[in-house]
Amino acid sequence: MTHRLNEKVAIITGAADGIGQAIAELFCQEGAFVCVADINETLGMQVVESLIAKGGKAIFHKTDVSDIDSVNNMVKATVESLGEPNILINNAGIIYQNDSPLNTTQAQWDKSFNVNLDGMWHCCKAVLPYMENAGKGSIVNIGSVVGSAGNAGQANYAAAKAGVIGFSKSMAREVASRGITINVVAPGFIDTDMTKALSDDQKEAIFKDIPANRLGEPDEIAATVAFLVSDGAAYITGETI
């Protein structure tokens, strides 16, 4: 069986559950060596144990992406245990739901940007030198459809995810000549813990704008991400899917 990501080293943030976990599982199936980076040590270790039990090669590193030192330590541990990273998936995220932007606290606003936007930058900054030295690499930043469409009650999250798109398009232009691709996957509403808090009325309103009339599955997002970091997508960069 051909593995598209055979022995490539991948760092996936926010990989202890949801979309990140689905990406980690598919990457291991595709032959990648995976660092599961997450602030939740209990769930993260469970994911890694499951990956190893299925024949994958993976490590866990407790990581707060909003802390540059924590990120640097995670990347160092990855290099020492798995090798220099070829792939980076910036998936870690946090969301605050408020009925009005006026009810968003300064702490919530800052935390949303620290994790969703600063965290992505910290990881890129730590990983890009390895990719530049190798003359190749793939980065996928997980955005959100609300980053371009907006969503009531999520101004903090939407603003940060809009920043993810702008950052990614700019960085893609800067590093393309060095053999590095940077793309965004901006999911709609996916069946994860983040959407389980939605009320039936909210889901009904959302489904009106979704042709499939259902929530997406984490595995469906993982499949798109896996393609974008494969050799078959080496000419695709600066795009938002």
Side-chain angles (χ1 to χ4, degrees):
M1 180 179 178
T2 301
H3 297 297
R4 291 180 295 177
L5 308 181
N6 195 41
E7 297 189 355
K8 289 189 176 184
V9 177
I11 292 172
I12 307 169
T13 68
D17 60 4
I19 292 172
Q21 180 180 354
I23 294 170
E25 290 173 350
L26 181 56
F27 276 21
C28 278
Q29 292 172 22
E30 292 282 0
F33 303 155
V34 172
C35 172
V36 171
D38 202 290
I39 201 165
N40 191 320
E41 186 170 6
T42 300
L43 290 181
M45 286 299 298
Q46 290 175 359
V47 170
V48 167
E49 290 169 2
S50 175
L51 295 174
I52 293 173
K54 295 174 183 176
K57 185 172 182 179
I59 64 168
F60 171 78
H61 198 280
K62 185 175 182 178
T63 310
D64 176 358
V65 296
S66 69
D67 181 345
I68 186 65
D69 291 331
S70 179
V71 169
N72 286 335
N73 289 335
M74 176 270 292
V75 173
K76 181 180 178 181
T78 300
V79 172
E80 291 174 349
S81 299
L82 303 176
E84 296 188 359
N86 317 106
I87 297 168
L88 169 63
I89 311 300
N90 283 306
N91 171 71
I94 190 171
I95 188 169
Y96 294 102
Q97 182 80 30
N98 293 289
D99 57 5
S100 167
L102 299 178
N103 293 332
T104 301
T105 66
Q106 186 66 50
Q108 289 175 332
W109 182 269
D110 291 344
K111 187 68 173 180
S112 181
F113 275 80
N114 290 159
V115 174
N116 295 315
L117 194 55
D118 294 351
M120 176 195 61
W121 162 236
H122 293 158
C123 292
C124 287
K125 190 173 184 180
V127 166
L128 276 170
Y130 295 101
M131 294 183 175
E132 290 181 344
N133 288 338
K136 59 182 178 180
S138 303
I139 298 174
V140 174
N141 297 320
I142 304 300
S144 171
V145 68
V146 306
S148 56
N151 194 39
Q154 298 178 354
N156 60 90
Y157 184 70
K161 289 301 188 180
V164 168
I165 294 172
F167 171 89
S168 302
K169 286 182 175 294
S170 298
M171 285 295 293
R173 291 177 177 273
E174 294 176 14
V175 301
S177 63
R178 298 167 223 176
I180 302 167
T181 63
I182 302 180
N183 291 288
V184 176
V185 171
F189 291 89
I190 308 302
D191 191 9
T192 66
D193 288 341
M194 220 177 240
T195 55
K196 281 181 171 58
L198 294 172
S199 67
D200 290 339
D201 288 343
Q202 286 174 318
K203 288 182 179 180
E204 183 178 350
I206 289 167
F207 289 169
K208 290 179 181 178
D209 295 325
I210 300 176
N213 197 38
R214 66 173 176 83
L215 295 175
E217 296 294 335
D219 289 349
E220 294 170 319
I221 305 303
T224 302
V225 173
F227 166 68
L228 287 173
V229 301
S230 71
D231 292 342
Y235 194 62
I236 301 173
T237 196
E239 295 298 323
T240 301
I241 297 177

